[in-house]
Amino acid sequence: MGAALLAPARAQTAAPVQPLPFSHKVHAGAAKLPCRMCHPNPDPGDSMTIAPASVCMQCHSSIDADHPAIQKLAAFSKSAAPIPWVRVYQIPTYVSFSHRSHLKAGNACQDCHGPVATRDQLFREADISMGGCMNCHRLKKVSIDCTFCHDDLQQ
Ligand code: HEC
Ligand code: HEC
Ligand code: HEC
Ligand code: HEC
Ligand code: HEC
């Protein structure tokens, strides 16, 4: 098994340095913007995705338009390249995971990502390692068979 397969998804305490000082506490907390505004889970699809700069510019073409961080945001918006956000929660591609089915089953964002709306910077505070997945599956009486999460695992 290659080294990439061993990359840990366990909880971390340090937030990565992001290309812009984006705060969930400001946007999802104080301003009460719904998560789906920026994480729409396009249908069909299993990912929540992160909204492009054009969505941010709906507000920031006027709000704080003269601030350096917003000028940087405006430059991203004008260029074709996506904002290079550093991913916080990411699992290896050999694991099957769908937001759509987990949300349909009544799991909430904070069950797997912690109290996001109270955080200025996100860090991997919730456990999405194999053990973390299994803990909840055991609790909710969902399968923990190897092939449930690993389609083509050689055993
Ligand atoms: C619905 C409106 C709205 C949207 C959409 C929005 N923001 Fe904001 N943003 C705000 C408000 C309100 C503030 C706080 C302004 C203040 O306190 O001066 C803010 C503050 C900020 C700041 C801090 C600016 C500074 O220097 O003080 C950054 C950076 C920022 N937003 C980035 C983003 C990014 C990136 C997106 C898109 C992913 C985004 N915003 C989407 C309303 C919005
Ligand atoms: C105004 C837009 C906006 C809103 C509203 C918003 N987010 Fe985000 N979210 C972002 C941006 C931009 C990033 C990338 C930067 C970062 O990680 O902080 C992000 C990153 C994340 C990540 C980490 C993704 C990864 O793996 O790298 C999670 C989890 C998340 N958001 C959950 C939420 C939840 C839960 C809510 C609602 C409580 C929410 N977000 C509301 C813009 C938003
Ligand atoms: C059952 C656990 C679970 C729940 C519930 C959950 N997430 Fe996630 N989230 C994950 C995992 C695992 C990843 C990493 C997925 C990957 O790498 O393919 C992730 C990744 C993300 C990302 C990064 C982009 C992406 O789509 O991969 C965002 C943004 C995000 N989640 C937001 C949310 C929001 C908003 C909610 C609530 C509406 C939510 N999540 C509910 C486990 C969960
Ligand atoms: C907070 C609880 C919780 C966590 C954490 C969780 N799951 Fe689940 N998972 C569920 C529930 C509940 C279901 C049943 C959904 C249904 O009935 O369709 C489920 C169903 C599934 C399914 C079958 C449905 C589908 O999407 O194909 C897979 C695969 C799965 N989970 C993988 C994972 C992986 C991988 C992780 C960790 C990255 C994870 N789960 C973390 C609660 C959780
Ligand atoms: C509920 C989902 C789930 C189930 C069930 C599951 N796994 Fe995993 N597995 C994961 C996730 C998520 C990772 C990625 C963990 C990481 O990157 O830290 C993983 C990683 C692995 C790895 C890579 C090495 C490692 O530990 O990071 C192996 C090997 C593995 N699983 C084998 C198994 C076997 C064997 C079973 C059955 C006993 C099993 N898995 C059952 C979710 C699951």
Side-chain angles (χ1 to χ4, degrees):
M1 186 168 279
L5 297 189
L6 299 172
R10 276 160 278 283
Q12 295 167 350
T13 50
V17 176
Q18 296 288 359
L20 293 170
F22 177 81
S23 165
H24 279 85
K25 190 176 174 185
V26 167
H27 294 86
K32 295 191 165 55
L33 301 180
C35 311
R36 301 263 179 171
M37 179 176 191
C38 302
H39 306 300
N41 185 210
D43 188 6
D46 295 328
S47 300
M48 299 310 291
T49 71
I50 297 175
S54 55
V55 171
C56 315
M57 292 309 287
Q58 289 170 15
C59 293
H60 287 294
S61 53
S62 52
I63 295 174
D64 290 345
D66 56 335
H67 290 211
I70 300 302
Q71 285 171 352
K72 198 175 165 194
L73 172 65
F76 277 121
S77 184
K78 277 199 197 99
S79 84
I83 303 174
W85 300 114
V86 181
R87 288 291 308 275
V88 178
Y89 291 90
Q90 194 162 33
I91 52 174
T93 50
Y94 62 85
V95 182
S96 311
F97 179 79
S98 164
H99 274 97
R100 187 172 303 280
S101 54
H102 281 88
L103 296 174
K104 232 167 115 192
N107 297 293
C109 312
Q110 64 266 23
D111 293 344
C112 300
H113 298 302
V116 167
T118 68
R119 300 284 182 240
D120 276 319
Q121 288 179 291
L122 296 192
F123 57 100
R124 195 180 290 172
E125 59 186 295
D127 184 5
I128 54 154
S129 68
M130 183 162 120
C133 310
M134 283 195 170
N135 283 345
C136 184
H137 279 207
R138 281 198 193 93
L139 205 72
K140 301 206 174 179
K141 309 211 183 318
V142 180
S143 171
I144 52 165
D145 288 348
C146 311
T147 51
F148 200 62
C149 301
H150 305 293
D151 290 338
D152 41 14
L153 190 70
Q154 305 274 317
Q155 288 182 71

